[in-house]
Amino acid sequence: MPCYVNASVSKSQQKWPVMVFSHGLKGIPEVYMTLAMDFASRGFIVVLPLHTDGSSAMSYDNFNIDDHVARNEQVTIRADNVSFALDQLSKDEIPLFKNRMNFEEISVVGHSFGGATAVKVAKDDPRIKACIGLDPWLFPLDKQDKEKKVETPILFAGSHQWQWQENIDRMTEVLSSVPKGKGQIVLVKEMDHQNFCDVPFLASPFLLRKARIIGTMDRYLGLGIMRSLVLPFVVQTFPKEGLKDIYEKQIETAKDFLQLYEHYIAVNKTNIDGEIKVVAFGKH
């Protein structure tokens, strides 16, 4: 995706909302550049911390993936990483962004393990106004993490092919802790777990599909669906008087886009719709 290095911040409004993006297990921030740049181009200052819990590709510790105690310790460290990043940003010492970051409009987004991280941060840090888990893996969360009551709206947007009932049950448990109408689960057909990062753009989609690394959905369509789900969900948490035409137009476009491709949506439930049962899955 084309971009400018050290480009000046748009002056169409004084301050811009902040979005923190948490990478997945064995991941690094650099493999989420497509989504990050897309959101930055639409009016967000996007921050991608490298987690220090031993789950990144740069410092991976080979824990048993089913070791809940270790994974819960890791997700706590990851959440602390995000809060620390916000603490540092709030000092407003980065010349390029000085007086340009709106700390009243902070969202946290995470993929896979990053989805659990986003929930943990939203539960523990009152600065978070919206939480989004992209194909989240919620095993690392403990009972208290899932049940702690918060006002923060939470969206889980996942792949119908990768998700499984136990993890769906964890999502519904988390959403039971937020006010009715503020929690949502969306599962998308023809997407797999690696469709939520840069992998579809790093190699031949044909070969990646043959290897069952990504789903059959067109990579640009997948990006459009993710954007169209996340953007309105985050912007709805902004104060109405703070909304500019740029966001209102983008929300309208996103809704039109989702309506056009609604046949790809396998599950779309809010936390007032009761129990969610997914009866068909692809590979895990």
Side-chain angles (χ1 to χ4, degrees), residues 113-254:
F113 202 168
T117 306
V119 171
K120 178 70 173 172
V121 178
K123 298 276 187 159
D124 294 344
D125 194 324
R127 293 174 291 186
I128 305 302
K129 297 299 191 295
C131 169
I132 296 93
L134 299 177
D135 223 15
W137 177 55
L138 300 185
F139 172 77
L141 298 175
D142 63 18
K143 187 176 180 65
Q144 182 179 353
D145 294 330
K146 289 181 281 190
E147 294 182 351
K148 183 178 179 181
K149 301 286 186 183
V150 291
E151 292 293 319
T152 310
I154 299 176
L155 165 67
F156 294 128
S159 62
H160 191 244
Q161 191 165 337
W162 188 78
Q163 289 295 339
W164 64 104
Q165 190 60 54
E166 185 181 10
N167 206 45
I168 298 292
D169 292 342
R170 295 182 186 121
M171 294 184 203
T172 56
E173 190 175 359
V174 169
L175 296 190
S176 68
S177 67
V178 303
K180 288 184 178 180
K182 288 192 173 183
Q184 187 177 8
I185 298 175
V186 180
L187 299 182
V188 184
K189 300 175 185 176
E190 298 187 22
M191 292 183 74
D192 211 329
H193 199 53
Q194 299 304 327
N195 280 91
F196 293 81
C197 60
D198 286 353
V199 168
F201 298 92
L202 298 177
S204 163
F206 174 79
L207 295 178
L208 291 171
R209 292 186 189 109
K210 282 290 186 182
R212 297 188 177 182
I213 295 173
I214 64 172
T216 57
M217 179 177 286
D218 176 82
R219 52 189 174 178
Y220 292 101
L221 176 57
L223 175 66
I225 289 177
M226 281 186 283
R227 173 205 309 135
S228 299
L229 287 169
V230 172
L231 190 66
F233 192 85
V234 173
V235 173
Q236 73 175 349
T237 68
F238 295 172
K240 184 63 180 176
E241 63 273 12
L243 286 174
K244 299 292 186 181
D245 288 343
I246 182 175
Y247 292 119
E248 293 174 345
K249 290 175 182 177
Q250 288 188 50
I251 290 174
E252 185 177 333
T253 300

Side-chain angles (χ1 to χ4, degrees), residues 59-123:
S59 60
Y60 185 66
D61 289 332
N62 192 25
F63 293 113
N64 180 343
I65 197 166
D66 295 321
D67 186 340
H68 183 266
V69 173
R71 294 304 183 193
N72 186 252
E73 290 175 354
Q74 285 184 297
V75 80
T76 300
I77 294 171
R78 285 168 145 260
D80 288 343
N81 291 159
V82 173
S83 293
F84 177 78
L86 291 173
D87 291 342
Q88 298 305 303
L89 288 172
S90 65
K91 295 178 181 178
D92 208 14
E93 295 176 344
I94 304 174
L96 183 64
F97 298 108
K98 193 168 183 62
N99 297 320
R100 307 307 307 277
M101 291 181 283
N102 188 338
F103 293 106
E104 299 299 316
E105 298 171 357
I106 300 175
S107 56
V108 59
V109 182
H111 172 233
S112 194
F113 202 168
T117 306
V119 171
K120 178 70 173 172
V121 178
K123 298 276 187 159

Side-chain angles (χ1 to χ4, degrees), residues 22-79:
S22 173
H23 65 75
L25 184 66
K26 300 184 184 179
I28 52 175
E30 285 79 3
V31 297
Y32 295 93
M33 290 295 104
T34 304
L35 265 180
M37 287 191 288
D38 189 86
F39 285 121
S41 74
R42 295 171 197 284
F44 291 84
I45 295 174
V46 185
V47 182
L48 296 93
L50 177 66
H51 289 299
T52 61
D53 61 313
S55 68
S56 79
M58 306 295 289
S59 60
Y60 185 66
D61 289 332
N62 192 25
F63 293 113
N64 180 343
I65 197 166
D66 295 321
D67 186 340
H68 183 266
V69 173
R71 294 304 183 193
N72 186 252
E73 290 175 354
Q74 285 184 297
V75 80
T76 300
I77 294 171
R78 285 168 145 260

